[in-house]
């Protein structure tokens, strides 16, 4: 296999110039860089990355830490990060770190200290005070996605607005009895954004004078979680709401399935709105607030590269737009049902 | 931060002995290794991994390549790999490589050649002849999971047996008109295992003398895919089967949802069996063949480490056991329906 000396000879430059041109460490003119790169490509030269790392202090690797993989949101953020890194020929080092797990302790105590990556993307991670300390000691760029804002660069939708807009959609259709379904009450096992979506719902209910009828039916933020919570909630005929806001589409879809099993027609007697525009949304004709986690992953890489190129660059918070997509799981409440709700509240 | 010289001084050994003890390259007595490691831990010494790599030729990183992340199977295999690597303090470098994508070409042309990992786990990858060549040139251990057997170490369930057993379960319940639903006919966009599951179904139908009524209704191996295919299939009353074998649970669940929407009762007039024991299976009372992708991921790491420790170790193929889990989506066919089917076939 060709070595750096072969490349230097073919390009007519010294070995150290060839090395600078290929690693990006130190000054080389654009013309020389292009000539060296052409020679390297022609000769099939692949640098020994351990040696490159010792020279540049760069690993060409980005670390990604996330609490779980088996969720639509996380899988698609990861694919977006992966695609953007591949274009830049960076490696992606993945660390699964469920809340309060041994793996999570290992990540913050051991893997961060090894500094085997040039920067870190934290997806849906709400760090403890101690973990924040470790992130600061890490001393390299950090970008957070869809979670707690650690004072660094961050990418997400405006979760509070998403909860509010979904709720206002139902209020605008005449619904008065609207329950927010899904998400953990203590917030530890779900993403930080779930709490903000609930707050957005509560804000909209308050603003419409519906505070007294606001209710939260907690569940795991999954399809089976939403199914179970909705089955309990809708099984009680006397307190059945006419509208549901799901903390995410998986919960909303679980609720629709539960409603169908109970013989409750969607949207005739129950309107359901979700948040995500999950790949299942279309199949269930689900009205939802759209987010594109793949794009959020790409944006996180963009912010990280910016920070790597210019450590003095200001930090940014990017809110991805999240439009309401109206399908047919929501409808205006009919007058009769509306009158009954009017009596009840 | 403490350096290797500090560790050597504290342990009362030379710098080169301390280095050998910490990197594992070259002989050191167990007693000395323990003393050096204790000193390193006490001082909080973290080796510069680029320097370690130059000495040992090891990167302490394992590469993982898979076609997609947003599927239950792949997410759980990845979590299993992740857990097993974390215990061994290895890093995981992830490469997403959808079939026939630019990312896949990049992976095989560029990332493999850089040799930035000590071994590779290929999940659900069916390599082309050219890609196989690249894998051989890579010259490091490769383990495949759940996919095509590339003549290396491999882990999967016996997909052929899974398809056969699921089908025999329905035949044993008296079903004669059984359709296999899901999976791509050309096999390019699905896993290699899907084709084997279909072959297992065909074998069971043949063995029971039901070859003439065997049918495959292709679809994407997802819940919306299964929903769409089942809606088409079951919408035609005259040719409606009494039993469905889903290529995976997501397809089987989609079929159950389609059946409910058409007013077809499961299992009264339609039995449905899946393969996976997906996290949704319980919610839909789905009879299925169980596999545990998390354990397959762990087993892949085990095989890879074995190969790294002893390059002359023989290659292994591990079949994970995959028992039939009977829930209530399948039932014995009632006599009347059976008689009608009898007339039809």
């Amino acid at each position: 296999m060709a070595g750096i000396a072969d490349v230097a000879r073919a390009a007519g430059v010294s070995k150290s110039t060839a090395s600078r041109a290929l690693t990006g460490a130190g000054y080389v003119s654009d013309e020389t860089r292009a000539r060296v790169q052409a020679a390297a490509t022609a000769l099939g030269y692949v640098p020994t990355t351990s040696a490159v790392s010792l020279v540049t202090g760069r690993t060409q690797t980005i670390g990604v830490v996330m609490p779980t993989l088996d969720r639509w949101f996380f899988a698609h953020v990861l694919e977006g990060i992966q695609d953007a890194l591949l274009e830049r020929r960076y490696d992606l080092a993945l660390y699964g770190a469920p809340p309060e797990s041994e793996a999570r302790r290992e990540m913050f105590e051991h893997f961060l200290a090894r500094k085997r990556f040039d920067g870190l993307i934290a997806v849906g991670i709400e760090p403890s005070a101690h973990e924040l300390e470790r992130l600061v000691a890490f001393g390299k760029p950090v970008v957070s996605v869809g979670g707690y804002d650690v004072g660094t660069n961050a990418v997400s939708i405006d979760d509070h607005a998403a909860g509010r807009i979904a709720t206002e959609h139902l209020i605008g259709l005449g619904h008065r009895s609207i329950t927010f379904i899904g998400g953990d009450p203590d917030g530890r096992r779900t993403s930080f954004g779930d709490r903000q979506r609930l707050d957005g719902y509560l804000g909209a209910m308050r603003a419409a004078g519906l505070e007294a009828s606001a209710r939260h039916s907690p569940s795991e933020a999954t399809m089976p979680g939403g199914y179970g919570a909705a089955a309990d909630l809708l099984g009680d005929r006397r307190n059945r709401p006419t509208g549901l806001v799901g903390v995410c589409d998986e919960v909303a879809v679980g609720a629709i399935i539960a409603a169908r099993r109970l013989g409750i027609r969607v949207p005739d007697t129950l309107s359901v709105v979700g948040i995500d525009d999950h790949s299942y949304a279309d199949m269930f004709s689900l009205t939802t607030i759209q987010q594109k986690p793949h794009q959020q992953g790409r944006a996180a890489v963009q912010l990280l590269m910016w920070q790597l190129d210019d450590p003095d660059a200001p930090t940014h918070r990017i809110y991805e737009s999240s439009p309401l997509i109206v399908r047919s799981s929501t409808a205006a409440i009919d007058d009769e049902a509306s009158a009954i709700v009017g009596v009840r509240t």
Side-chain angles (χ1 to χ4, degrees), chain A residues 302-318:
Chain A
Q302 194 67 47
L303 284 181
L304 200 62
M305 292 297 153
W306 190 353
Q307 204 76 28
L308 282 172
D309 289 345
D310 176 10
D312 299 326
T315 61
H316 293 81
R317 189 170 225 313
I318 295 181

Side-chain angles (χ1 to χ4, degrees), chain A residues 160 163-164 180 194-204 206:
Chain A
H160 190 280
R164 180 176 54 76
F180 187 89
D194 292 356
R195 177 77 223 173
Q196 296 189 299
R197 293 176 188 182
L198 175 58
D199 287 345
Y201 156 80
L202 292 171
R206 238 190 333 265

Side-chain angles (χ1 to χ4, degrees), chain A residues 175-197:
Chain A
H175 294 268
R176 295 292 170 266
S177 174
I178 304 167
T179 297
F180 187 89
I181 186 165
D184 222 359
D186 66 7
R188 279 190 309 165
R189 306 291 307 178
T190 53
S191 81
F192 178 72
D194 292 356
R195 177 77 223 173
Q196 296 189 299
R197 293 176 188 182

Side-chain angles (χ1 to χ4, degrees), chain A residues 40-186:
Chain A
T41 305
L43 293 167
Y45 171 73
V46 179
T48 306
T49 49
S50 301
V52 171
S53 292
L54 277 181
V55 172
T56 61
R58 289 269 183 108
T59 63
Q60 289 283 117
T61 299
I62 299 299
V64 176
V65 54
M66 41 175 63
T68 182
L69 296 166
D70 183 27
R71 294 286 305 280
W72 173 84
F73 177 79
F74 291 100
H76 284 271
V77 169
L78 191 56
E79 288 191 345
I81 294 172
Q82 168 73 46
D83 287 353
L85 289 179
L86 210 63
E87 285 164 15
R88 294 166 173 85
R89 299 207 166 168
Y90 267 74
D91 282 306
L92 187 166
L94 180 68
Y95 304 92
E100 295 171 27
S101 65
E102 181 57 31
R104 174 129 171 186
R105 266 184 297 277
E106 275 283 304
M107 164 66 203
F108 279 93
E109 295 306 316
H110 188 83
F111 284 91
L112 267 186
R114 289 209 300 196
K115 302 198 184 208
R116 292 184 62 163
F117 30 86
D118 300 332
L120 183 71
I121 299 176
V123 188
I125 297 283
E126 183 172 2
S128 66
H130 176 73
E131 289 170 348
L132 257 182
E133 235 171 69
R134 294 282 162 171
L135 280 176
V136 172
F138 171 58
K140 297 191 178 185
V142 177
V143 176
S144 85
V145 179
Y148 184 73
D149 185 350
V150 294
T152 62
N153 285 289
V155 183
S156 69
I157 59 166
D158 182 338
D159 289 292
H160 190 280
R164 180 176 54 76
I165 291 166
T167 309
E168 286 173 352
H169 169 64
L170 293 181
I171 293 171
L173 289 168
H175 294 268
R176 295 292 170 266
S177 174
I178 304 167
T179 297
F180 187 89
I181 186 165
D184 222 359
D186 66 7

Side-chain angles (χ1 to χ4, degrees), chain A residues 272-289:
Chain A
V272 181
V273 56
I275 297 172
D276 273 346
D277 204 27
H278 187 285
S279 50
Y280 294 168
D282 199 43
M283 165 180 165
F284 289 93
S285 303
L286 184 67
T287 295
T288 190
I289 306 287

Side-chain angles (χ1 to χ4, degrees), chain A residues 30 50 69 131 160 186 219 232 244 259 291 296 299 320 326:
Chain A
D30 286 348
S50 301
L69 296 166
E131 289 170 348
H160 190 280
D186 66 7
S219 81
D232 289 347
L244 293 179
Q291 68 168 327
Q296 291 178 45
E320 196 206 353
V326 179

